[in-house]
Amino acid sequence: MTESPHVGDLAGPYAVGACSPTETVAVAAHVSTCAACAAEIDSLSRTADWIGVTAARPPSPGLRSRVLAAALAARPAAAHPAAAHPAVAHPTAAYRSQVAELDRLLADLPPVLWQQPSRPHPTVRTMIGHLTSNDGSVAAAAGVELAPVEDVRRRWRVQADAILVAVDRGGTGLLDRPVRLAGRREMRRPLREALIQRGFETWIHAEDVRAVMGLPPQRPDAAQAAGIVGFALPLLSAALPRAVSLVLTGDGGGTHLAGPGAPAAEVTLPAERFCRLLAGRLTADTAGAVVAGDPVAAHTFLTVAATMGCD
Amino acid sequence: MGTLPITDDVRLREGLIAGSEQALAEVYDTFSPYVFGMALQMTRDRGAAEDITQEVFVDLWRRPERFDPHRAPLRGWLCMIARRRGIDWVRRHRTRVTVQIAAAEATPEDVVLNSTTHRQVRRAVADLPDTHREAVLLAYYDGLTYREVAQALNIPEGTAKWRLRNALHRLGERLLAEGL
């Protein structure tokens, strides 16, 4: 660091904690004001994290009860935390049940209704084709390879089942694998999050099919709604200019902060309606949100939220 | 850096803060292979690795709010703490800088996790030039500073620094190209 104002080769040692204490302090100070060096060190540190992955190996089964007992002795568990946190569910649970539900609906869908428009898609048939194509990036990431299937419904279902089987077999490594999310923005997230999005999109298309068939709507259960909110909020937050406090009522509800800084407004609506807004089936004006504080910040939040869908 | 938090990490942190035993069990089941593997690779002592694993999870359970999903993924954060504790242990138990290069590279006899991702990363590390791999593994698992790396490998300090930086760049480019 003496010959150059930048960190230079010290970036490598710094990323793996191999500098002297004096150098560590000097690098940290430099990085706080130099974006280029900060970016390099951030990237090298992330790479270094991967090295640890190569050492992963399961501990002996006996260690589990020892560690959990020691933890609970240090801090007792809460009596009923499950009720407050319905989101603790298996990564494929919501997707699995929505696939089964949509397939039940499609089995009963008369041929003439397959040609019915389902906004924003020209027909139900093209909508299922679109869903199959969106599922495709998860299928590819999970290593699913399928022979061509002619029938639209069968092609979708066979691929969805193959994804579920692959995820059940693949374990944590597969769930961590980055996947391109469906939607307008180019965004890669771990496969476990892409599965939440798959469950979300499958549910909203089941709603679309119910509408075409004249059946009453069905809300996602509390765990799925909480999962959708948890999945969408970080993405939404990153796109917001100002923070909003989001109060979601009903199943899957809770209070959340979205966006940077202190909240400029508070937006209250049922969690179910928020999910429909995220899917683009409601708009900022039709969502029925109760707004307090800065109306512009609230409207921006609702408008951006309505662009988070997969169509 | 403005990286997005991982949804599961946010959910697990909330569960831990709420005192959910289920969340604690899920965190242990998901991440204990990484924490234990890191500790074992560093200490090469099964008992010490189990103690470190216990400390890491008990500590997370006692103060889950210290984990910030906006700053790092939970796996990386837990591995970082395991590594720090491993370095402490190694430094306490190392009488001289007698470095076991071979041991740092060798896989202990028991089963390593073998998903595609694990294999990809392992292969990428194995494919580094020997001189680079030695330097990185000494710093990473043995907790050596780059000056100690230079001593251990009998190379100039500037070369040790450069090898660490260059090795991480090569590894990062390879993993990026493989979609990780």
Side-chain angles (χ1 to χ4, degrees):
Chain A
M1 285 187 70
T2 43
E3 65 278 13
S4 152
H6 291 290
V7 167
D9 284 346
L10 271 182
Y14 184 82
V16 289
C19 290
S20 73
T22 319
E23 287 163 337
T24 303
V25 171
V27 172
H30 175 76
V31 162
S32 66
T33 58
C34 175
C37 289
E40 181 181 359
I41 282 175
D42 186 64
S43 150
L44 295 184
S45 302
R46 277 168 199 280
T47 301
D49 284 346
W50 278 108
I51 298 175
V53 168
T54 64
R57 74 203 67 221
S60 70
L63 186 62
R64 187 180 194 271
S65 53
R66 184 183 127 188
V67 170
L68 297 192
L72 294 171
R75 176 193 164 211
H80 301 291
H85 292 273
V88 183
H90 191 270
T92 56
Y95 182 47
R96 190 184 302 276
S97 69
Q98 292 298 347
V99 165
E101 174 62 18
L102 177 58
D103 200 41
R104 262 195 300 278
L105 290 165
L106 294 177
D108 293 340
L109 189 68
V112 62
L113 292 187
W114 277 90
Q115 300 307 327
Q116 200 75 13
S118 176
R119 81 250 117 99
H121 299 278
T123 66
V124 171
R125 180 178 300 280
T126 56
M127 180 174 80
I128 299 302
H130 151 89
L131 174 62
T132 310
S133 151
N134 278 353
D135 290 346
S137 70
V138 174
V144 168
E145 281 174 30
L146 297 171
V149 180
E150 196 60 39
D151 180 71
V152 172
R153 173 184 157 213
R154 227 182 107 60
R155 186 168 68 226
W156 160 74
R157 177 69 202 243
V158 166
Q159 179 176 260
D161 284 343
I163 290 172
L164 288 164
V165 169
V167 171
D168 284 344
R169 288 192 186 143
T172 313
L174 179 58
L175 289 172
D176 287 342
R177 193 173 299 169
V179 183
R180 191 202 186 282
L181 293 179
R184 283 167 235 183
R185 299 183 184 86
E186 170 76 37
M187 194 98 76
R188 292 175 72 81
R189 303 294 291 153
L191 193 135
R192 66 178 75 241
E193 294 186 32
L195 284 170
I196 297 176
Q197 192 190 38
R198 291 303 83 225
F200 174 40
E201 187 178 3
T202 309
W203 162 69
I204 204 67
H205 289 323
E207 284 293 85
D208 295 336
V209 173
R210 275 188 279 271
V212 166
M213 296 171 86
L215 296 172
Q218 269 184 30
R219 62 183 66 183
D221 67 24
Q224 187 180 12
I228 292 168
V229 172
F231 159 75
L233 273 185
L235 307 178
L236 180 53
S237 287
L240 287 177
R242 296 166 73 193
V244 164
S245 168
L246 175 65
V247 181
L248 295 176
T249 57
D251 283 351
T255 301
H256 306 269
L257 185 66
E266 185 179 86
V267 172
T268 305
L269 76 168
E272 175 211 354
R273 291 186 72 79
F274 184 63
C275 291
R276 294 181 196 280
L277 174 75
L278 289 170
R281 297 303 186 268
L282 295 173
T283 66
D285 298 320
T286 60
V290 177
V291 170
D294 184 328
V296 177
H299 197 264
T300 304
F301 169 78
L302 292 167
T303 307
V304 176
T307 66
M308 305 298 290
C310 303
D311 293 316
Chain B
M1 302 298 292
T3 44
L4 294 169
I6 295 173
T7 307
D8 262 9
D9 288 356
V10 175
R11 170 176 69 78
L12 288 170
R13 180 179 185 268
E14 281 179 16
L16 293 173
I17 288 174
S20 158
E21 192 176 340
Q22 200 185 347
L24 171 64
E26 187 181 341
V27 168
Y28 180 85
D29 291 339
T30 308
F31 300 110
S32 62
Y34 298 99
V35 171
F36 176 74
M38 172 76 77
L40 183 63
Q41 188 81 40
M42 300 186 77
T43 61
R44 291 156 202 147
D45 179 316
R46 186 166 276 280
E50 291 185 344
D51 288 347
I52 289 174
T53 306
Q54 176 170 331
E55 288 164 18
V56 168
F57 285 102
V58 170
D59 209 38
L60 174 71
W61 172 247
R62 290 179 64 183
R63 289 185 289 262
E65 66 285 346
R66 281 176 29 190
F67 162 63
D68 179 356
H70 291 266
R71 295 188 59 187
L74 185 51
R75 184 180 71 197
W77 195 72
L78 290 171
C79 283
M80 193 242 332
I81 294 176
R83 195 171 153 249
R84 270 192 208 151
R85 288 181 184 267
I87 290 176
D88 288 347
W89 190 94
V90 168
R91 287 186 179 154
R92 274 204 312 276
H93 290 77
R94 195 168 57 203
T95 44
R96 296 184 300 128
V97 184
T98 46
V99 170
Q100 301 144 287
I101 295 166
E105 291 181 50
T107 300
E109 68 296 341
D110 48 355
V111 190
V112 292
L113 292 188
N114 225 357
S115 73
T116 313
T117 311
H118 292 106
R119 278 198 300 276
Q120 275 176 306
V121 179
R122 217 171 282 139
R123 208 178 306 123
V125 173
D127 286 350
L128 284 173
D130 292 349
T131 52
H132 283 57
R133 191 175 56 253
E134 281 168 4
V136 161
L137 295 181
L138 285 173
Y140 194 79
Y141 287 126
D142 293 276
L144 299 196
T145 64
Y146 74 86
R147 288 199 176 84
E148 292 168 330
V149 170
Q151 269 180 4
L153 298 178
N154 202 20
I155 53 174
E157 288 179 5
T159 307
K161 265 198 285 194
W162 175 80
R163 277 188 197 168
L164 288 175
R165 184 190 192 190
N166 191 255
L168 289 174
H169 272 300
R170 281 171 185 244
L171 198 55
E173 281 158 21
R174 163 87 174 260
L175 295 177
L176 192 67
E178 295 191 11
L180 291 175

